[in-house]
């Protein structure tokens, strides 16, 4: 028997243990959540978060779960609810189940459908947030409501958290909660949330379900070059634009060395075993391309990265400005921030300096323990070809906030996906959609998970 087969353990939970109706509402709820235009434009500007949060609070209230709504600014609303009905093991610390209700903006003219209509077409729910992340929000609500109605408590207390502002870094959502309302969210030993738990088809009898155990840090930098202002017709050896442009070019051209973290190595080992090939850093990205669009995400986690994204200088053709600025989107692997900053300092030179716009270090936890075992068991119960594997995500989530509470964070929003669906490309993409049967699968897995976690 090969190693992959040994991972496919017999499910502990019998089939009848799935709560009746756990997946009944999930498609409808996902569609309705998408109809709330909760576009987050950054810089404190957002739509509809209050209305969407009140809708979620109403759904929980219908089944007797009381919510606390907190606003960081007018309309920027987050929700926390404690679910610990009779029958839970109160000796265990709560499990946090979290999702965000904001989405990135969408330009309707680019889409085949209205991005905020929640249309169900061709076996999918379409719309902004279908993947990121109103699909998981709907799974959570469907499962919780079904379990309450059936009188089936989770194994341990659950803290339900729905946040604002995740798409702009979470300062007005998750970070506001931990800074201003820590008592509402503290005490959870573990958490599950977005960008993990979805399948990658290797062959008909083997799907890797990637569980996020780590995510890169955000080191967004402002580069600043100071020079001598003057007339555009004169020679100027202290031109801020020239110095800044040279620094930006060096950063953009720099090839960051591979830094393979434990989560990344575990993922690469699983892929190597599943594909029956040896992976080395010389050909790893070419091999990963066989997995489809996730190869872009995984490739971005092989090393630190820094991409110039904005430039600003001057106000008139014939005036040399005294200052020029640039924005750098820096992402750091766990343990790699100091190397990143040292390299940036070397690349920008003596005449350019940097300031942090955002500094949120990478996070990482081990892919081990009872919670991980429950993930594997529950996936196999619904998909005998499932194998859970860890991975490092290139982006960021609210987990960066919960990590500061000492909470172990996992990305586990389970979805069994069609092999040909460009799922990763759906994140912030045009024509974002999620298959309805994937949503129903995810609800059933999550229902089992809450029984065992």
């Amino acid at each position: 028997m090969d190693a992959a087969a040994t991972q496919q353990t017999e499910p502990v939970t019998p089939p009848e243990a799935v709560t009746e109706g756990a997946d009944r509402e999930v498609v409808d709820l996902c569609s309705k959540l998408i109809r709330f235009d909760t576009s987050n434009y950054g810089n404190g500007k957002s739509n509809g978060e209050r209305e969407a949060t009140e809708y979620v609070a109403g759904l929980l209230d219908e089944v007797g779960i009381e919510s606390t709504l907190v606003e960081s600014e007018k309309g920027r609303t987050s929700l926390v609810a404690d679910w610990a009905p009779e029958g839970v093991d109160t000796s265990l610390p709560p499990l946090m189940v979290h999702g965000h209700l904001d989405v990135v903006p969408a330009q309707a003219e680019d889409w085949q459908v209205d991005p905020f209509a929640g249309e169900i077409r061709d076996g999918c729910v379409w719309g902004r947030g279908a993947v990121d992340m109103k699909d998981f929000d709907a799974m959570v609500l469907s499962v919780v409501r079904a379990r309450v109605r059936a009188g089936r408590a989770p194994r341990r207390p659950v803290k339900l958290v729905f946040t604002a502002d995740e798409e702009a870094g979470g300062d007005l959502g998750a970070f506001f909660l931990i800074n201003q309302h820590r008592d509402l969210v503290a005490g959870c030993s573990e958490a599950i949330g977005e960008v993990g738990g979805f399948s990658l088809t290797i062959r008909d009898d083997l799907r890797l379900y990637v569980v996020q155990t780590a995510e890169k840090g955000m080191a967004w930098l402002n580069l600043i070059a100071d020079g001598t202002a003057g007339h555009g017709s004169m020679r100027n050896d202290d031109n801020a634009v020239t110095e800044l442009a040279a620094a930006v070019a060096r950063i953009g051209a720099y090839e960051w060395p591979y830094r393979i973290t434990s989560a990344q190595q575990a993922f690469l080992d699983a892929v190597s075993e599943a594909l029956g090939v040896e992976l080395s850093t010389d050909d790893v990205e070419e091999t990963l391309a066989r997995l489809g669009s996730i190869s872009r995400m995984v490739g971005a986690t092989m090393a630190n990265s820094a991409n110039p994204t904005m430039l600003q200088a001057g106000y008139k053709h014939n005036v040399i400005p005294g200052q020029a600025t640039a924005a750098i989107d820096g992402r750091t692997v766990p343990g790699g921030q100091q190397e990143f900053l040292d390299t940036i300092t070397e690349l920008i030179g003596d005449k350019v300096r940097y300031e942090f716009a955002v500094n949120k270090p990478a996070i990482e936890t081990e892919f081990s323990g009872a919670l991980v075992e429950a993930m594997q068991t529950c996936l196999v119960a619904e998909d005998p070809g499932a194998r859970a594997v860890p991975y490092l995500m290139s982006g960021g989530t609210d987990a960066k906030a919960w990590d500061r509470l000492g909470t172990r964070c996992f990305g586990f929003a389970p979805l069994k996906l069609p092999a040909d669906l460009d799922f990763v490309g759906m994140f912030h993409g045009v024509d974002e959609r999620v298959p309805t049967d994937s949503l129903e699968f995810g609800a059933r897995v999550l229902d089992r998970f809450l029984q065992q976690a």
Side-chain angles (χ1 to χ4, degrees), residues 217-385:
M218 299 167 64
W220 292 358
L221 306 177
N222 292 326
L223 303 187
I224 304 159
D226 295 305
T228 302
H231 199 287
S233 67
M234 303 291 182
R235 296 186 60 172
N236 188 320
D237 296 328
D238 190 30
N239 189 317
V241 175
T242 302
E243 294 294 342
L244 181 74
V248 168
R250 289 192 294 268
I251 290 172
Y254 184 73
E255 295 187 9
W256 295 86
Y258 284 140
R259 295 288 182 263
I260 308 300
T261 65
S262 58
Q264 185 79 320
Q265 189 61 59
F267 175 79
L268 296 176
D269 290 345
V271 170
S272 176
E273 179 181 297
L275 295 178
V277 298
E278 292 292 330
L279 289 176
S280 71
T281 54
D282 294 332
D283 64 3
V284 63
E285 294 193 54
E286 180 179 345
T287 303
L288 289 176
R290 295 167 60 180
L291 299 179
S293 62
I294 196 175
S295 62
R296 300 195 302 272
M297 183 182 290
V298 175
T301 60
M302 301 290 288
N304 290 333
S305 64
N307 284 308
T309 55
M310 292 188 289
L311 293 168
Q312 185 172 357
Y315 57 91
K316 200 169 186 290
H317 274 74
N318 63 347
V319 177
I320 298 171
Q323 189 176 86
T325 63
I328 303 293
D329 182 347
R331 307 284 175 146
T332 60
V333 299
Q337 186 175 48
Q338 191 57 54
E339 179 187 12
F340 172 84
L341 295 176
D342 290 344
T343 301
I344 290 293
T345 298
E346 182 178 348
L347 290 172
I348 62 178
D350 296 334
K351 295 187 176 182
V352 179
R353 54 192 167 89
Y354 71 80
E355 296 177 349
F356 278 106
V358 174
N359 181 20
K360 293 176 179 173
I363 61 172
E364 184 173 24
T365 191
E366 292 184 357
F367 187 62
S368 62
L371 202 75
V372 170
E373 293 172 6
M375 292 175 188
Q376 175 65 28
T377 300
C378 296
L379 285 167
V380 170
E382 292 294 331
D383 177 8

Side-chain angles (χ1 to χ4, degrees), residues 10 18 38-39 50 80 119 129 182 189 225-226 228 245 247 273 285 306 336 375 386 390 408 435 438-439:
E10 288 298 317
V18 177
T38 53
S39 297
R50 177 81 195 188
V80 180
E119 183 173 334
R182 183 170 292 237
S189 59
D226 295 305
T228 302
E273 179 181 297
E285 294 193 54
M375 292 175 188
R408 295 181 65 206
S438 298
L439 285 169

